[in-house]
Amino acid sequence: MIIRDNVGARRAKWALPAWGLGAIVAVYILAVLNRGLWSELAHALEASRGTPGFWGLSVAVCCRLVGNLVLTLALVTWPRVGKALLAILILVSAASAYYTETFGVHLNEEIIQSIFETTRAEAAALITWAFVGWFLAFGVLPAVLVLLVPVRFMPGWRGLGWRGAVILAAAALLVVPPLLTGRNYVYFERNHRGMYDVYNPYAALSGTFHYLQKDVFRKKKAVTPIGTDATLAPGAAMAARKRVVVLVVGETARAENQSLQGYGRDTNPEMKRANAIYFSDAWSCGTATTVSVPCMFSNMTREKFDKPVAKAHWNALDVLQHAGVDVYWRDNDEGCKDVCARVPNDDLTDAKIATLCDASGCLDEVLLGDLADRIAKMRSPALVVLHIKGSHGPAYFQRYPAEFNVFKPGCDTAEVQTCTYAQTVASYDNTILYTDHILGRVVDTLKADPEVDSAMMYLSDHGESLGENDVYLHGADWATGPSQQKHIPMLMWLSPGWVRDSGVRLDCMARRRTQPASQDNLFHTLLGFFDTSSEVYKPELDLLAGCKG
C-alpha cells in the first residue's frame, strides 16, 4: 500500500513507509473499530463449534474479512490522495462503529437510505455528546494523525509492483481459504450475511453504493398505472351520506407495548373507550420506514416487494384517486417516500407553531388543528392519510407533551444506552399513550358529525428494539430481526353509520381480529373501504371483505 507526500528532496529520512501506514490503519480499523464485527462473528461461529472443519471455517472467514479490508486500502492509497482517503475511511468506520456497537444497528441498505433521507431534526437527535466524544477520540484524532505523518513511497515500476503484490495477496485471502473449506463456508456465508452489516467500513460503503445505484443514479422510469379499471360501486359513489376514511400511519410503534395487546400498562385508554377493533397478530413489511411505507401502499406482498418496481407503479392512493376518491396526505414524519407524489399533500414537519413545534420538530397534534375543516371541504368519498412521528427514537422524550409524561422515571436523553431498560421503556410507553390520544382525537372529530359514515384505521410502519439483547432502534434484517421490530399494532374504528350502511358484521370482525394480518392487507382494505371494483383488488386480503353482508 503506497502513499505519496509531495515533499521532493526534503523528504524526512524518518518518514514512515507507505505500506507501514497502510498496515497501521488496517490494524486499527480491524481491532478498534470492528469490535462489533468480531463479537457477532464469534457468536455465529459458536453454532458451528464441534463440527468437522470448524477451525478451517474459522480461519477462512477471518481471512476473507481481513482480505476485504486490505484490498480496499490497497486500492485507495494512491499518491497525493491516499492519506486523505485513508482518513475518510477512518472517519466512516468510527461513525459506523459507534452506532453498531452502541445500539446494535445493522447498516444495511434500508438504514443507509434512512440516513440519507432523514430530516434535520431527526438526524440531530442522533448526534449526541457521547457520539461526539467517541467520534473525536476514535475518528477525528486518528484521521488527523494519518494526515500529518510523513510517508515515503517506492518510485515508478517498483512501487506499482509492490502494489500489485499486495492486491494479489488480498485477493488470495478473499478467494483461496473459502475455496479450501468448500460447502462449509458457503453454508456459513448464506446463514450469516448479517455480519457484513456491522463490518466497518464495508457496511457503510456497500450500503451507500447500492443506495446511490438503485435510488439516486438509476434512470427514472415513467410511472406505470395499475388498476385503471377501478370504479366505485354505485352505493359508494352515489351514497346519500358522505363517506370518509382517515388512515393514520404510525411510526416505530410495536405491538408488545399496547394495552390492547395485553400489555400491563394502560397505553391505549382512548382506543379501548372507542371499542376499536385491534388486530393482535399484525406484522410489518420491513423494519425501516423506507421499506414499509412504500410496501404497505403497494399491491405487492412482502415476499415479492421490490422498491424500484413499487416506485415505478401506482399505489393504493393513485388507484383510489383514479376511481373517484378525494385523497389527501398530511405528513409529520420523514416524508411519504414518494407514495403521495401524485395526490394532494401537505408536509408539516417543519411547521412553525409555537405551542407544538420546536427545534426537535413538531408534536403530532400539528396534524389535527384544522382536520375537521379539511374533511368538511372534501367531496365524498374521501380518504385522509395522517403520517405521524409517533414513537420515533432515540429521543422518545421529545415525542409527547409534558402532560403525557405519565410513566416514570423516563429516559430524558437521546443516549438511551445510558438509561436503564425500565427508564427507556417508560419514555417509549409515553409515546404510545400520546399516539393513542392522537387516535382518540381523530375518532372524536369523525364522531362529531353523525351524518357522515366514517372510519379510521391505524397501523405502524415497523416496531422498535428498546435494548433487548443490547439491540436498540430498528432496521434489522427482516428474516433474522427481533419480533419487536416486526410485530406492529393495527386497529380499526367504524362509526355506527358505517357499520349499518356497509353491512359489516362486528361479531365476525371480533373473530377476524385474532387471525394473522400484515401490511399486505392495507392496499386491498383501502380499496374495500370504498367498495372499489378492480382487477388489482383481492378480497381475500381485505380485512373487511369476509365480514360484509
Side-chain angles (χ1 to χ4, degrees):
M1 288 165 280
I2 300 172
I3 303 172
R4 182 175 189 175
D5 279 348
N6 190 21
V7 294
R10 298 188 301 276
R11 182 185 302 122
K13 293 182 179 180
W14 50 270
L16 188 66
W19 64 264
L21 178 61
I24 291 172
V25 171
V27 170
Y28 176 70
I29 291 178
L30 285 170
V32 178
L33 302 182
N34 268 295
R35 291 178 298 180
L37 168 67
W38 302 119
S39 176
E40 181 144 333
L41 177 60
H43 179 74
L45 287 171
E46 188 63 31
S48 301
R49 184 176 295 277
T51 60
F54 168 75
W55 291 109
L57 172 64
S58 302
V59 171
V61 174
C62 292
C63 285
R64 189 169 177 85
L65 293 173
V66 172
N68 185 302
L69 180 61
V70 172
L71 181 62
T72 301
L73 297 185
L75 291 174
V76 303
T77 51
W78 289 93
R80 301 182 186 275
V81 299
K83 289 204 298 182
L85 293 176
L86 285 178
I88 290 172
L89 289 179
I90 291 174
L91 294 174
V92 170
S93 298
S96 302
Y98 177 80
Y99 291 107
T100 57
E101 293 180 24
T102 303
F103 298 116
V105 171
H106 283 53
L107 295 176
N108 52 36
E109 184 183 337
E110 286 72 33
I111 291 298
I112 295 298
Q113 182 175 357
S114 297
I115 291 172
F116 277 100
E117 297 180 1
T118 192
T119 61
R120 285 174 294 176
E122 290 170 353
L126 293 170
I127 309 300
T128 63
W129 286 113
F131 168 77
V132 171
W134 166 279
F135 190 63
L136 288 174
F138 294 97
V140 174
L141 179 58
V144 169
L145 292 176
V146 166
L147 293 173
L148 293 179
V149 65
V151 297
R152 63 177 184 271
F153 65 97
M154 297 177 185
W157 290 105
R158 186 183 175 195
L160 290 176
W162 273 100
R163 182 187 299 277
V166 172
I167 291 175
L168 287 175
L173 284 174
L174 283 168
V175 175
V176 176
L179 286 177
L180 294 177
T181 52
R183 62 182 182 180
N184 279 353
Y185 182 84
V186 174
Y187 292 149
F188 181 87
E189 181 88 355
R190 181 183 301 167
N191 294 327
H192 301 287
R193 287 294 303 169
M195 68 181 180
Y196 289 103
D197 293 339
V198 294
Y199 180 22
N200 301 316
Y202 172 87
L205 295 178
S206 175
T208 300
F209 172 78
H210 286 100
Y211 167 69
L212 294 176
Q213 179 191 41
K214 293 181 180 180
D215 292 87
V216 178
F217 298 130
R218 185 168 182 162
K219 185 178 180 180
K220 305 298 182 182
K221 295 182 179 179
V223 177
T224 302
I226 63 170
T228 54
D229 63 330
T231 57
L232 305 180
M238 299 183 296
R241 292 165 61 86
K242 186 172 183 177
R243 176 172 290 199
V244 175
V245 175
V246 176
L247 171 66
V248 182
V249 178
E251 169 68 58
T252 321
R254 66 186 198 180
E256 189 172 302
N257 292 60
Q258 312 290 323
S259 57
L260 291 176
Q261 185 79 33
Y263 186 53
R265 284 175 170 162
D266 190 11
T267 53
N268 306 128
E270 292 295 318
M271 289 300 93
K272 182 180 179 181
R273 174 180 62 83
N275 292 317
I277 302 165
Y278 181 83
F279 299 91
S280 59
D281 193 17
W283 298 81
S284 67
C285 181
T287 61
T289 306
T290 55
V291 174
S292 288
V293 168
C295 183
M296 71 171 74
F297 285 94
S298 164
N299 68 328
M300 289 182 280
T301 61
R302 184 186 65 80
E303 289 79 8
K304 297 181 179 180
F305 179 69
D306 182 272
K307 281 193 295 183
V309 173
K311 291 178 70 173
H313 289 78
W314 276 8
N315 56 62
L317 304 186
D318 300 304
V319 175
L320 288 172
Q321 181 172 254
H322 174 76
V325 177
D326 194 2
V327 180
Y328 169 68
W329 179 291
R330 175 168 280 185
D331 207 289
N332 186 41
D333 198 21
E334 298 176 342
C336 69
K337 310 306 176 190
D338 291 332
V339 169
C340 65
R342 294 167 295 277
V343 303
N345 63 85
D346 190 13
D347 191 345
L348 298 181
T349 305
D350 295 320
K352 307 297 182 184
I353 301 177
T355 57
L356 296 175
C357 306
D358 57 24
S360 66
C362 296
L363 295 171
D364 285 324
E365 284 179 277
V366 73
L367 300 173
L368 307 181
D370 63 344
L371 181 61
D373 292 338
R374 166 67 65 170
I375 292 175
K377 294 176 182 177
M378 297 178 75
R379 56 180 170 76
S380 181
L383 170 65
V384 177
V385 184
L386 304 178
H387 189 197
I388 65 174
K389 197 178 294 289
S391 303
H392 199 292
Y396 305 115
F397 70 102
Q398 294 178 342
R399 303 293 170 247
Y400 51 87
E403 59 266 30
F404 285 86
N405 186 20
V406 174
F407 306 113
K408 302 177 181 180
C411 180
D412 296 334
T413 174
E415 297 170 7
V416 291
Q417 77 281 4
T418 65
C419 297
T420 66
Y421 178 70
Q423 289 173 320
T424 301
V425 171
S427 288
Y428 182 82
D429 286 347
N430 288 331
T431 69
I432 302 298
L433 183 66
Y434 182 57
T435 294
D436 178 74
H437 168 70
I438 298 297
L439 300 180
R441 283 198 55 186
V442 171
V443 169
D444 289 342
T445 299
L446 296 176
K447 289 169 64 176
D449 190 347
E451 297 304 312
V452 175
D453 286 352
S454 55
M456 182 199 71
M457 185 174 179
Y458 163 77
L459 76 168
S460 183
D461 58 354
H462 53 76
E464 185 85 322
S465 290
L466 300 177
E468 298 86 5
N469 300 313
D470 293 324
V471 176
Y472 294 85
L473 306 181
H474 51 268
D477 179 73
W478 201 96
T480 59
S483 63
Q484 289 90 351
Q485 296 188 28
K486 300 178 291 186
H487 190 193
I488 58 169
M490 179 188 291
L491 59 82
M492 192 181 294
W493 173 85
L494 307 174
S495 71
W498 187 289
V499 172
R500 180 189 66 245
D501 295 339
S502 66
V504 173
R505 304 193 312 276
L506 295 181
D507 59 334
C508 176
M509 292 301 297
R511 293 189 296 271
R512 177 64 183 87
R513 67 182 182 83
T514 60
Q515 298 170 9
S518 74
Q519 292 176 346
D520 293 349
N521 297 111
L522 182 65
F523 179 96
H524 307 281
T525 302
L526 287 177
L527 268 61
F529 268 129
F530 300 101
D531 298 322
T532 310
S533 174
S534 173
E535 63 179 2
V536 296
Y537 169 68
K538 296 180 180 179
E540 65 272 18
L541 290 177
D542 180 353
L543 293 171
L544 292 167
C547 293
K548 288 183 179 179

